[in-house]
């Protein structure tokens, strides 16, 4: 069933620019036999964040280049879109906005202001459990910002301390370098492994504190053949094509299939032994989480820092067929950028396919975290969006607020199992879809932050209610299917978010 759309407020300009939004993987595991993508009419849609402005020149060169080698080094801060590494972000400025590309037959839309924002009736108290509820009338396409809270004050609270960043950078750099040297030693099966920084810190959307890092250790595996697992679209068996010279990874083969569980087990063992030799810092390995591809290390001093190290196989062949209709950025970043991105390698991580309550431990799952990072780093239609001398948009700020909303709700309801399966990757996937549907920089003016965030929340609510959130790279994968997250959990989160949205997000000030 299509999500509620509210009254017919869409203009010709919105209809012309709307783009359907498939979705991607990352936090949740894909399940076998996912249903086909729903028709566009049934997909959640977010209201345009702002009007399209005057025309701008089209880009002639690709701006996204995920091939550049990440540098995990502490250094002086510069503009927001600096080279990926552990560096202190600069203070956010709010320069004047400039118009973007035009939409056909566009008409001007009056922007919402605190004085014109629709008054809301606060609820007497937050709901505390799942159950039936009446859909809020505001879940259609919004025309006004709520105006009852101060998003910039919340973002100011989420800024990372430069001193804390510098301290975290030093210790994480030393640990990563130490492990890479060991894995690249002559006797290691993982010789040739290299670093690829992924996750919120390297995407520069980390919030609150630099206490969590996701680090991908990539290992190129040429001449591999993929066999899709049970029509899952995201999970694959990996086989080697004929290789007369053999491979140091042959020891991980099970019936000709590269065993993800055996390879991950050996990877964990080497790291566990090597952290004992890491001097001047107390590092322990946390117990393996069932079904997780990460080796989680906990640095105890000088402050507690969690480092997730993920082994990834790098393949430079064409992306699998299941991704053909994914990455819908043509109207947002351009067809040339999309073509360049799809020529980049793809990765396979040892995240096993789930079979009921069990896992198929020989399978690998597709990962495009490097592409996500490239998109977030160069996220605007304009080449200079958010650069030092460019116009600042509010895309990243909206994503940070969305992540913080989920984080705060998890703190508030820490003992509720209904929130266990939701993660920041769901938020990021929904955010990418809103960027697809609102592709123009003029729809993300920084002065419209409150309005744009409200629309991101509304889109996410619609995904929860329709139980459909498409993987951004693999459209046949539904991250909100019932075999991944039960209906009661989605209803519970939906009710909590509705309460927050209707009452000016009080949870932002509770912890």
């Amino acid at each position: 069933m299509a999500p509620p759309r509210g009254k017919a407020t869409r203009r010709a300009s919105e209809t012309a620019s709307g783009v359907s939004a498939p979705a991607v993987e990352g936090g949740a595991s894909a399940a076998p036999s996912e249903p086909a993508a729903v028709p566009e009419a049934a997909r959640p849609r977010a209201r345009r964040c702002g009007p399209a402005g005057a025309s701008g020149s089209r880009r002639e060169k690709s701006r996204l280049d995920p091939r550049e080698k990440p540098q995990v080094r502490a250094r002086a801060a510069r503009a927001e879109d600096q080279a990926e590494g552990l560096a202190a972000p600069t203070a956010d400025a709010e320069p004047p906005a400039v118009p973007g590309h035009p939409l056909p037959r566009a008409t001007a839309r009056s922007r919402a202001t605190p004085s014109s924002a629709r008054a809301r009736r606060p609820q007497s108290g937050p709901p505390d459990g799942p159950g039936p509820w009446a859909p809020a009338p505001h879940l259609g396409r919004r025309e006004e910002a709520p105006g009852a809270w101060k998003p910039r004050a919340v973002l100011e609270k989420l800024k990372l301390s430069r001193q804390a960043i510098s301290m975290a950078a030093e210790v994480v750099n030393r640990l990563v370098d130490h492990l890479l040297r060991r894995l690249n030693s002559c006797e290691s099966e993982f010789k040739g492994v290299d670093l690829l920084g992924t996750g919120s810190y390297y995407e520069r959307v980390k919030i609150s504190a630099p206490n969590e890092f996701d680090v991908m250790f990539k290992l190129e595996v040429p001449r591999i053949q993929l066999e899709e697992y049970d029509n899952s679209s995201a999970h694959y068996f990996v086989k080697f094509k004929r290789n007369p010279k053999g491979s140091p990874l042959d020891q991980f083969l099970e019936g000709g299939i590269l065993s993800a569980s055996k390879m991950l087990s050996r990877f964990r063992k080497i790291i566990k032994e090597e952290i004992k030799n890491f001097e001047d810092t107390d590092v322990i390995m946390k117990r393996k989480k069932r079904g997780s591809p990460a080796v989680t290390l906990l640095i105890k001093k000088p402050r507690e820092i969690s480092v997730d190290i993920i082994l990834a196989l790098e393949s430079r062949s064409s992306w699998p067929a299941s991704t053909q209709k994914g990455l819908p950025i043509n109207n947002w970043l351009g067809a040339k950028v999309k073509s360049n991105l799809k020529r980049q390698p793809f990765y396979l991580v040892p995240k096993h396919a789930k079979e009921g309550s069990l896992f198929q431990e020989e399978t690998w799952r597709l990962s495009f975290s490097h592409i996500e990072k490239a998109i977030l780093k160069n996220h605007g239609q304009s080449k200079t969006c958010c650069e030092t001398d460019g116009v600042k948009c509010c895309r990243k700020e909206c994503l940070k607020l969305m992540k913080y909303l989920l984080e705060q709700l998890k703190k508030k309801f820490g003992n509720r199992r209904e929130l266990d399966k939701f993660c920041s990757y769901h938020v990021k996937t929904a955010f990418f879809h809103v960027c697809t549907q609102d592709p123009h920089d003029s729809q993300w003016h920084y002065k419209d932050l409150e309005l744009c965030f409200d629309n991101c929340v509304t889109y996410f609510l619609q995904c929860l209610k329709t139980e459909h959130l498409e993987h951004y790279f693999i459209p046949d994968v539904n991250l909100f299917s019932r075999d991944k997250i039960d209906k009661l959990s989605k209803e519970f989160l939906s009710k909590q978010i509705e309460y927050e949205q209707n009452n000016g997000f009080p949870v932002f000030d509770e912890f």
Side-chain angles (χ1 to χ4, degrees), residues 160-173:
L160 303 183
S161 159
R162 184 171 300 182
Q163 181 179 5
I165 291 172
S166 180
M167 293 175 61
E170 181 182 0
V171 66
V172 172
N173 284 333

Side-chain angles (χ1 to χ4, degrees), residues 17 19 48 50-64 81 98-103 328-335 337 374-387 391-395 434-445:
S17 67
V19 182
R48 304 294 179 211
S55 63
S57 60
R58 295 183 59 87
R59 298 175 307 278
E60 296 183 359
K61 295 183 179 180
S62 169
R63 297 176 291 106
L64 305 182
D81 284 323
V98 296
H101 296 284
L103 294 179
I329 62 173
N330 287 37
N331 289 352
W332 171 19
L333 301 175
V337 170
I375 291 174
L376 285 173
K377 183 180 178 184
N378 296 277
H379 50 262
Q381 283 192 324
S382 166
K383 291 175 63 176
T384 59
C385 181
C386 289
E387 290 185 356
V391 175
K392 183 170 178 57
C393 76
C394 65
R395 289 180 179 92
V434 179
C435 289
T436 292
Q437 293 187 6
D438 295 340
H440 303 291
D441 293 348
S442 60
Q443 294 171 305
W444 296 88
H445 284 163

Side-chain angles (χ1 to χ4, degrees), residues 165-234:
I165 291 172
S166 180
M167 293 175 61
E170 181 182 0
V171 66
V172 172
N173 284 333
R174 288 198 300 112
L175 177 60
V176 168
D177 289 345
H178 180 87
L179 294 176
L180 282 175
R181 284 196 302 271
R182 169 63 180 89
L183 290 166
N184 273 298
S185 63
C186 295
E187 68 274 12
S188 170
E189 303 89 334
F190 301 97
K191 188 175 179 61
V193 72
D194 202 359
L195 173 68
L196 178 64
T198 61
S200 62
Y201 198 97
Y202 299 92
E203 294 164 350
R204 311 203 69 77
V205 290
K206 184 75 179 74
I207 58 176
S208 302
N211 56 0
E212 293 181 353
F213 296 87
D214 297 321
V215 179
M216 185 176 287
F217 282 6
K218 60 179 182 177
L219 181 65
E220 185 176 357
V221 281
R223 300 178 60 80
I224 60 172
Q225 176 182 332
L226 301 184
E227 181 180 313
E228 186 178 342
Y229 172 74
D230 198 26
N231 298 317
S232 66
S233 299

Side-chain angles (χ1 to χ4, degrees), residues 332-345:
W332 171 19
L333 301 175
K336 288 184 179 179
V337 170
K338 178 176 179 177
S339 177
N340 288 335
L341 289 176
K342 297 200 76 170
R343 284 197 290 267
Q344 305 309 314

Side-chain angles (χ1 to χ4, degrees), residues 60-335:
E60 296 183 359
K61 295 183 179 180
S62 169
R63 297 176 291 106
L64 305 182
D65 188 2
R67 292 174 295 180
E68 62 185 55
K69 184 174 180 180
Q71 302 173 7
V72 194
R73 295 287 180 268
R75 57 189 183 274
R78 38 180 289 253
E80 179 180 2
D81 284 323
Q82 53 191 307
E84 16 344 341
L86 307 186
T90 56
D92 292 331
E94 188 176 347
V98 296
H101 296 284
L103 294 179
R105 303 173 63 85
T107 57
R109 170 181 297 174
S110 59
R111 281 191 166 76
T113 62
S115 60
S116 66
R118 178 175 56 216
R120 289 184 175 163
R121 179 180 303 170
Q123 299 178 15
S124 57
D128 58 2
W133 77 97
H138 63 260
L139 287 184
R141 299 167 68 83
R142 290 181 174 274
E143 291 302 322
E144 296 171 329
W149 64 290
K150 304 299 181 184
R152 290 168 183 79
V154 177
L155 288 167
E156 188 67 28
K157 182 171 61 174
L158 298 181
K159 283 185 177 180
L160 303 183
S161 159
R162 184 171 300 182
Q163 181 179 5
I165 291 172
S166 180
M167 293 175 61
E170 181 182 0
V171 66
V172 172
N173 284 333
R174 288 198 300 112
L175 177 60
V176 168
D177 289 345
H178 180 87
L179 294 176
L180 282 175
R181 284 196 302 271
R182 169 63 180 89
L183 290 166
N184 273 298
S185 63
C186 295
E187 68 274 12
S188 170
E189 303 89 334
F190 301 97
K191 188 175 179 61
V193 72
D194 202 359
L195 173 68
L196 178 64
T198 61
S200 62
Y201 198 97
Y202 299 92
E203 294 164 350
R204 311 203 69 77
V205 290
K206 184 75 179 74
I207 58 176
S208 302
N211 56 0
E212 293 181 353
F213 296 87
D214 297 321
V215 179
M216 185 176 287
F217 282 6
K218 60 179 182 177
L219 181 65
E220 185 176 357
V221 281
R223 300 178 60 80
I224 60 172
Q225 176 182 332
L226 301 184
E227 181 180 313
E228 186 178 342
Y229 172 74
D230 198 26
N231 298 317
S232 66
S233 299
H235 289 87
Y236 290 82
F237 293 116
V238 176
K239 299 180 179 180
F240 288 112
K241 295 180 180 178
R242 184 177 179 182
N243 186 358
K245 296 181 180 179
S247 166
L249 302 182
D250 285 348
Q251 61 180 297
F252 303 122
L253 294 177
E254 288 281 353
I257 295 174
L258 185 63
S259 170
S261 59
K262 288 182 67 173
M263 198 165 171
L264 179 58
S265 178
R266 176 59 179 159
F267 185 67
R268 286 181 61 88
K269 184 178 181 181
I270 293 176
I271 292 177
K272 187 174 184 179
E273 293 172 351
E274 197 56 33
I275 59 176
K276 298 175 184 177
N277 302 321
F278 190 58
E279 300 177 353
D280 303 325
T281 304
D282 184 15
V283 183
I284 62 172
M285 179 180 290
K286 298 186 72 172
R287 179 176 297 181
K288 185 181 185 303
K289 292 182 180 178
R290 191 164 176 255
S292 171
V295 177
T296 302
L297 303 179
L298 189 63
I299 300 172
K300 307 291 287 186
K301 296 178 181 179
R303 61 176 301 166
E304 195 166 284
I305 302 172
S306 176
V307 182
D308 278 352
I309 300 176
I310 302 173
L311 174 66
L313 306 180
E314 181 183 83
S315 175
R316 295 187 173 273
S317 58
S318 299
W319 290 14
S322 61
T323 67
Q324 184 176 355
K325 295 183 180 179
L327 192 58
I329 62 173
N330 287 37
N331 289 352
W332 171 19
L333 301 175

